[in-house]
Each structure stands twice: as C-alpha cells, then as structure tokens.
Amino acid sequence: MINVHSYESMGTFDGPGLRLVVFLQGCPFRCLYCANPDTIDVKGGTPTPPNEILQMAISQKAFFGKKGGITFSGGEPTLQAEALIPLFKDLKDNDIHICLDTNGGIWNNNVEELVGLTDLILLDIKQFNPERHRMLTGRGNEQTLRTANWLEEHAHPFWLRYVLVPGYSDFEEDIRLLGEHFGKYQNIQRVEILPYHRLGVHKYEAMGWDYQLKEVKENSPEQLEQAEMLFKEYFANVIVN
C-alpha cells in the first residue's frame, strides 16, 4: 500500500506538460514555509493499492500528450521508495513519463533504484548554506548535495528548484555559492525559482500550529527579477514559476 495525501489532475506546475500529481504522506523535513504541513506526519494520508494509482494514470494518459505524465510529490515520496518501486516499473511498462519531486534528503538502496526508474527528478534545494538550511528545514543539506552529485555522475536529468524566501534563502552570497557549485553540471535541464507564498497559512491555523514566518512578506517583482538575473549568471535555463 502507498500512503497518499491527495491528487491533482491536469497539473502544469510539477514537471513538463500536463500531469497527474500524486502527493504522498510523510516528510522528514520541517520547512518553515511548508505549504502542505498536513503532509508532514507519516501517520496521515490514505493507504492506497498501487494498482489504483496505475489505473488512474492509464485513464488519464490520453491527456498527457508527448511531454506529460505522472509526478510523485509530497510530503517526501522517497520515504515510501520500497512500495513505489513496483508501481514505477508498471508505469514504465505502460510508457508513462515519471517525475519525482524530492528534497534529496533520503538515500538508500531502494531510493537509488527508484531514482533509476524515474525519467526526471525535480530536486528541491532549500538553501546552499548548511547553517541556514538547517534553520529553514530542521535538517542538514549534505545528503541533498550528495544526491545531486549522484544524478550528475549517472547522467540523470533533473530540474533544480529553489524557493526564494525573503530573509532566509534570498542572500546573494548563498545563491552565488550555489551557482558556483552547480553551474558546471551537465544534467540540470532547468532551474526553477519558486516565489515564497503564504497559501498554506490557514492550514497551520486549522491544525493548531504556529506559522513562524508571519512577518515574512511575499517576494516583490524586483526581488524575483534580481534573483533571476543572479541565477542566469550561472545557468542557461532559468524560469520564475
């Protein structure tokens, strides 16, 4: 069984083309700006037979076109790597393009096999500076960087995604260090700058949790433009989502 939080049909945000997005339950990170705090607890969600997800993808395949497919997001989908491996193999047998949206913070034999079955990785880099990463997520970024290195060494295509949080991940020095580290990578097909938003704040209130970034305002157009110019010094294909 796979523990599913929710689905989004005809998604255009999480990977190329039109996609069925499967949000899985459970995440080891505690990002201060998390828009889906209700996906964090591994005990939530709905236990779902893998075949149910497979049939859903097959039924929507006609809408995917040449670019679309299925994306597994979360939460953190690699927490359920072992259960996902047979499903990914079935999806591949049905010629369905697979994206995996991950923070890259978990690595083991099951995750390695799962990544090998995935067509495109959407790798969320929360912060390059390790101290600020820990402040933002509650975890270090060492494994995320190792995961990126594995993808590069194995010529596995991936997109790099970066949420621009004012006062937390928008420092020029940190973005430049990230650019210097990843700028020579050959397998980063695209860099996505994701604006910080407050869409999940009502969920914190409903759950009785304290939203710690109450004072942080959403990015101004100028801040996004400045970040885009900075990233473009190091990467060819930069998109502000």
Side-chain angles (χ1 to χ4, degrees), residues 10 57 152-153 158 180 231:
M10 306 301 156
E152 178 68 10
E153 286 185 346
F158 67 107
E180 288 163 10
F231 273 95

Side-chain angles (χ1 to χ4, degrees), residues 1-215:
M1 301 291 267
I2 293 165
N3 207 9
V4 175
H5 174 268
S6 57
Y7 302 93
E8 179 187 354
S9 294
M10 306 301 156
T12 58
F13 184 67
D14 297 297
L18 285 174
R19 311 194 70 83
L20 168 63
V21 186
V22 185
F23 295 95
L24 301 184
Q25 189 72 29
C27 185
F29 278 26
R30 297 290 183 270
C31 299
L32 296 180
Y33 56 84
C34 180
N36 298 309
D38 45 335
T39 66
I40 291 175
D41 189 349
V42 294
K43 295 174 183 172
T46 304
T48 305
N51 193 55
E52 189 174 309
I53 300 171
L54 175 66
Q55 294 307 319
M56 193 182 301
I58 291 171
S59 71
Q60 295 185 23
K61 189 177 176 182
F63 299 102
F64 295 156
K66 292 181 179 178
K67 290 185 177 180
I70 188 168
T71 297
F72 291 86
S73 186
E76 173 50 51
T78 58
L79 272 177
Q80 301 187 57
E82 185 175 4
L84 289 171
I85 287 169
L87 172 58
F88 275 37
K89 289 177 178 176
D90 288 340
L91 289 164
K92 297 295 286 181
D93 288 344
N94 283 275
D95 198 28
I96 293 173
H97 184 276
I98 306 169
C99 280
L100 186 67
D101 182 12
T102 176
N103 60 40
I106 299 171
W107 196 261
N108 52 47
N109 291 338
N110 288 325
V111 174
E112 184 169 339
E113 184 176 355
L114 190 73
V115 168
L117 293 165
T118 304
D119 295 294
L120 177 66
I121 299 293
L122 312 178
L123 185 65
D124 298 296
I125 305 286
K126 311 294 186 181
Q127 235 290 8
F128 191 77
N129 178 294
E131 290 79 21
R132 289 187 179 129
H133 186 281
R134 190 172 289 279
M135 184 170 67
L136 197 57
T137 70
R139 291 291 186 101
N141 63 0
E142 297 82 9
Q143 182 53 59
T144 300
L145 300 182
R146 285 195 292 267
T147 297
N149 187 58
W150 187 97
L151 295 170
E152 178 68 10
E153 286 185 346
H154 289 78
H156 199 298
F158 67 107
W159 291 4
L160 193 157
R161 308 180 106 190
Y162 192 86
V163 180
L164 196 71
V165 186
Y168 287 86
S169 60
D170 62 342
F171 301 101
E172 179 177 342
E173 62 191 278
D174 298 340
I175 294 172
R176 288 198 180 279
L177 286 172
L178 181 148
E180 288 163 10
H181 182 89
F182 289 115
K184 297 183 180 68
Y185 275 37
Q186 300 296 307
N187 294 287
I188 297 177
Q189 296 184 342
R190 169 169 168 162
V191 173
E192 291 190 326
I193 301 171
L194 310 180
Y196 164 73
H197 63 73
R198 299 165 58 87
L199 298 178
V201 173
H202 68 282
K203 295 182 182 179
Y204 287 81
E205 294 168 354
M207 295 168 68
W209 288 14
D210 180 36
Y211 185 71
Q212 295 182 45
L213 302 187
K214 291 189 194 74
E215 309 305 317

